[in-house]
Amino acid sequence: MNKIVNPILRGFHPDASVVKVGADYYLATSTFEWMPGVEIYHSRDLVNWQLIANPLQNSFQASLIGNYNSGSIWAPHLSYAEGRFWLLITDVKTGSAFKDTLNYVFSSETITGDWGTPNFVTASGFDPAFFHDDDGRHYIMSMLFDHRLEQPNFTGLVIQEFDTESMQLIGEREHFYTGTDLGVCEGPQLLKKDGWYYLLCAAGGTGYSHAATVCRSKNIMGPYELSPYHPFLTSKPAPENPLQKSGHASFIEVSSKEWYIVHICSRPLTERGNCTLGRETALQKIDWIDDWPRLSNGTVFPDLEVEVPSIAQNSDQQLDFSTQCDFTEPELPDYFKTLRQPLSEISQKVSLSERPGYLRLYGEQSITSLHRQTLIARRWQHFCFKVETEMEFEPENFQQMAGLVLFYDTDNWHYLQVSYDERLQSKVIQVETARIHQFTYRSERIAIPSDRPIRLEVKVDRDQAQFFYGIGNGEIQPIGEILEADHLSDDYIKTNGKLAFTGAMIGICAQDFDRHRSFADFNYFNYLENHTKEAKK
């Protein structure tokens, strides 16, 4: 393998923070309203990454019930010092002119261990990061948010010393950096190398103007000198680049002579179009020129294909992330996530034991609820895929439903749902869409027989999606019209005046607006990527 193909983490994996401990690399990404919170991946070659830890496992560590869509757990920062791993997170509660951004510190002796209780440190801004200096002092940085109407909301970066014994900030907060001509400075990362402090920041917002900048100083408090290679990374002037929205980066040292960065990116379906896979993580090689970092390709633009790291010469890159789950194991696979509620705390609503070989989901609140709903989902990781499942469900009234859903957030989804229609006196199936919280039926309401399993299927082909269903072993048939898969993207949602930072998911769910007692049994859940079709595009 001479080249690797970006992204290295496909589908909704934003805001990567990476740390090296010995020969091991650990990378943390944001999870927003999905639990368990924060995903930590491990690699020894920088090419293939395995999910090994989710530090936020319960509502005491992260209470997300009621948080708005695309709020909750923003950009984590992972580091290692004093024989321990350190994790900084932001739990974003509100997104108005006032921003409640609660920043917490966690720590663990082992990456897969118990990360313990959250230690609140500050709410002055979001995207905090640690810096552990070689003199034994520790610092926390974050952007500073200014709610005053006459001020810009993003006012640069602040830094303050942190005491690892008391787990509290000490001393005074310093407003030490105000950003560059690219505006909006956030996601700071500090690296100390050859006597210089290098400040790597995200800039320009999270859309198609996104970028990363570098500056340096001999003093941690500055002043900081801007790199002659400015911006350090961006796709803004290159709409044809397959890796758009590139910015928010983290340094990786393989050896003193071999360096990389991981960075955020998105792959639009069309030029500057909608990105259904959300914000992903890519890898780029960098060189040091006159003590300044620069992309090894000599430009500011990311490469789709990158020279393979020296530690990955014998590696084969995984490019297909298809999975098949028959629900026979005692626990769900780690690619499944739940919405706002930790799986451990909704065991009475999600069971693998009540009917062995099946996943039983008890209906609770609606699919639009920001509080307690029963939804198990995984991210899309390819533009073309099929998902199939088989469900047994006997609703007694129209307020009970269950099925298969293409899901972005509680305001945006396509739902193949089974329910009961008292006028037809029959179990029924239909497709419903939510688009910016506007609801539409996208198929007829079809009567189906009771006491027989229902096969549910969806095929996604880039910007289109089609649902299918079959009764028992009968023929599978399409239901409803061809749907707009690309509307399940932050780009589409933002153009309609809403904030969105995550990515499309596919899942199974159940609702019961009556007594919270009805349940659906799912026999399997198969996610199958179509790489042959994608290659023809």
Side-chain angles (χ1 to χ4, degrees):
M1 182 175 65
N2 296 319
K3 298 278 188 178
I4 63 168
V5 181
N6 277 312
I8 54 169
L9 287 178
R10 299 180 175 229
F12 162 41
H13 288 96
D15 307 322
S17 169
V18 66
V19 63
K20 180 182 181 182
V21 182
D24 297 295
Y25 299 87
Y26 301 101
L27 184 153
T29 61
S30 304
T31 48
F32 292 81
E33 61 261 41
W34 293 95
M35 290 293 283
V38 179
E39 294 188 326
I40 297 181
Y41 290 83
H42 170 258
S43 179
R44 284 202 160 187
D45 62 10
L46 301 182
V47 174
N48 296 303
W49 296 82
Q50 179 185 4
L51 179 62
I52 61 167
N54 292 107
L56 309 182
Q57 291 284 335
N58 56 63
S59 57
F60 180 72
Q61 292 173 314
S63 179
L64 308 185
I65 298 295
N67 285 6
Y68 71 100
N69 289 325
S70 284
S72 299
I73 308 303
W74 286 14
H77 185 264
L78 183 66
S79 59
Y80 186 80
E82 298 181 347
R84 302 182 65 85
F85 289 94
W86 300 86
L87 180 69
L88 266 169
I89 66 154
T90 307
D91 180 3
V92 184
K93 296 296 187 184
T94 55
S96 65
F98 296 87
K99 223 180 239 316
D100 292 293
T101 55
L102 310 181
N103 295 306
Y104 297 93
V105 172
F106 294 83
S107 183
S108 176
E109 291 185 357
T110 61
I111 199 77
T112 57
D114 182 358
W115 288 79
T117 59
N119 295 274
F120 173 77
V121 286
T122 178
S124 63
F126 52 82
D127 292 6
F130 262 119
F131 177 68
H132 309 283
D133 210 341
D134 52 17
D135 62 1
R137 300 173 76 179
H138 309 268
Y139 301 87
I140 287 179
M141 304 169 287
S142 72
M143 61 78 60
L144 181 65
F145 188 83
D146 194 332
H147 66 273
R148 293 173 293 182
L149 301 182
E150 76 277 10
Q151 297 292 332
N153 291 153
F154 295 79
T155 57
L157 305 177
V158 292
I159 190 169
Q160 193 168 354
E161 194 169 352
F162 180 80
D163 178 35
T164 57
E165 293 295 324
S166 65
M167 299 289 278
Q168 294 295 318
L169 293 168
I170 58 175
E172 297 297 321
R173 184 177 78 187
E174 296 286 343
H175 194 175
F176 77 116
Y177 188 68
T178 56
T180 70
D181 59 318
L182 299 181
V184 183
C185 179
E186 54 191 327
Q189 313 274 315
L190 263 179
L191 167 71
K192 192 172 187 181
K193 180 179 183 294
D194 301 328
W196 291 100
Y197 292 91
Y198 292 91
L199 181 60
L200 173 60
C201 296
T206 59
Y208 284 108
S209 296
H210 198 41
T213 64
V214 173
C215 56
R216 73 182 185 187
S217 175
K218 289 287 187 179
N219 189 315
I220 192 171
M221 297 299 177
Y224 281 85
E225 171 192 7
L226 185 62
S227 170
Y229 309 112
H230 176 68
F232 173 57
L233 170 70
T234 190
S235 306
K236 182 179 179 180
E240 74 287 351
N241 194 301
L243 302 180
Q244 290 293 309
K245 304 181 186 177
S246 294
H248 199 117
S250 183
F251 287 118
I252 306 175
E253 180 183 11
V254 176
S255 70
S256 61
K257 298 187 180 298
E258 186 178 3
W259 286 76
Y260 287 83
I261 57 165
V262 290
H263 68 91
I264 205 169
C265 69
S266 288
R267 293 178 290 162
L269 292 168
T270 58
E271 189 171 296
R272 294 281 159 88
N274 294 337
C275 306
T276 52
L277 302 185
R279 298 181 299 159
E280 306 174 282
T281 293
L283 181 77
Q284 305 293 330
K285 190 174 185 182
I286 65 172
D287 296 323
W288 290 89
I289 303 171
D290 298 326
D291 291 326
W292 288 105
R294 189 181 189 187
L295 296 185
S296 293
N297 63 21
T299 76
V300 300
F301 308 126
D303 284 330
L304 182 66
E305 296 187 349
V306 175
E307 179 184 337
V308 65
S310 61
I311 52 178
Q313 295 299 323
N314 298 318
S315 298
D316 292 322
Q317 185 179 9
Q318 180 182 357
L319 296 174
D320 190 325
F321 294 89
S322 299
T323 54
Q324 299 184 61
C325 178
D326 61 8
F327 301 124
T328 57
E329 298 297 322
E331 295 182 354
L332 285 174
D334 59 13
Y335 50 77
F336 281 120
K337 303 195 79 67
T338 52
L339 194 63
R340 292 182 176 83
Q341 299 178 92
L343 185 60
S344 61
E345 296 177 14
I346 56 171
S347 57
Q348 73 278 12
K349 298 294 180 181
V350 179
S351 174
L352 286 163
S353 60
E354 288 191 28
R355 185 181 179 187
Y358 288 79
L359 176 65
R360 176 163 291 182
L361 300 182
Y362 284 89
E364 195 170 4
Q365 296 178 14
S366 79
I367 198 170
T368 65
S369 175
L370 298 177
H371 296 83
R372 302 181 186 280
Q373 57 165 294
T374 310
L375 169 64
I376 305 294
R378 61 153 295 157
R379 57 177 55 82
W380 303 9
Q381 292 185 270
H382 196 61
F383 292 120
C384 302
F385 65 88
K386 175 175 73 171
V387 166
E388 52 192 21
T389 186
E390 182 182 89
M391 178 179 75
E392 296 182 30
F393 178 49
E394 298 302 326
E396 297 176 349
N397 62 56
F398 72 94
Q399 291 184 308
Q400 299 170 349
M401 63 184 71
L404 179 67
V405 63
L406 295 170
F407 189 91
Y408 186 92
D409 60 23
T410 61
D411 293 337
N412 299 276
W413 37 261
H414 299 301
Y415 185 10
L416 177 57
Q417 57 192 230
V418 173
S419 187
Y420 185 85
D421 190 316
E422 70 279 9
R423 292 166 297 179
L424 297 175
Q425 294 188 354
S426 174
K427 188 161 67 172
V428 293
I429 188 169
Q430 69 178 3
V431 177
E432 184 175 3
T433 286
R435 185 187 300 168
I436 318 296
H437 206 60
Q438 300 296 314
F439 306 100
T440 311
Y441 292 125
R442 307 297 292 275
S443 76
E444 295 181 3
R445 186 171 298 157
I446 301 170
I448 56 176
S450 295
D451 302 320
R452 297 183 67 186
I454 309 160
R455 286 179 292 137
L456 308 175
E457 185 177 297
V458 65
K459 292 181 181 178
V460 173
D461 183 3
R462 296 181 66 82
D463 63 340
Q464 297 182 338
Q466 176 72 64
F467 282 110
F468 301 82
Y469 79 102
I471 305 300
N473 295 321
E475 181 181 354
I476 199 89
Q477 56 189 310
I479 178 171
E481 58 191 279
I482 294 176
L483 305 170
E484 314 82 7
D486 61 326
H487 287 187
L488 302 180
S489 65
D490 54 4
D491 312 275
Y492 176 80
I493 295 166
K494 285 179 180 178
T495 60
N496 287 272
K498 300 289 186 178
L499 288 177
F501 300 118
T502 57
M505 307 283 281
I506 170 73
I508 47 181
C509 59
Q511 297 84 33
D512 185 345
F513 316 141
D514 182 14
R515 302 178 67 188
H516 292 183
R517 286 188 180 180
S518 64
F519 60 84
D521 288 338
F522 294 87
N523 193 18
Y524 54 82
F525 184 97
N526 297 334
Y527 165 85
L528 306 170
E529 296 180 352
N530 190 337
H531 288 261
T532 301
K533 189 166 190 176
E534 176 66 14
K536 294 178 180 178
K537 290 291 181 180

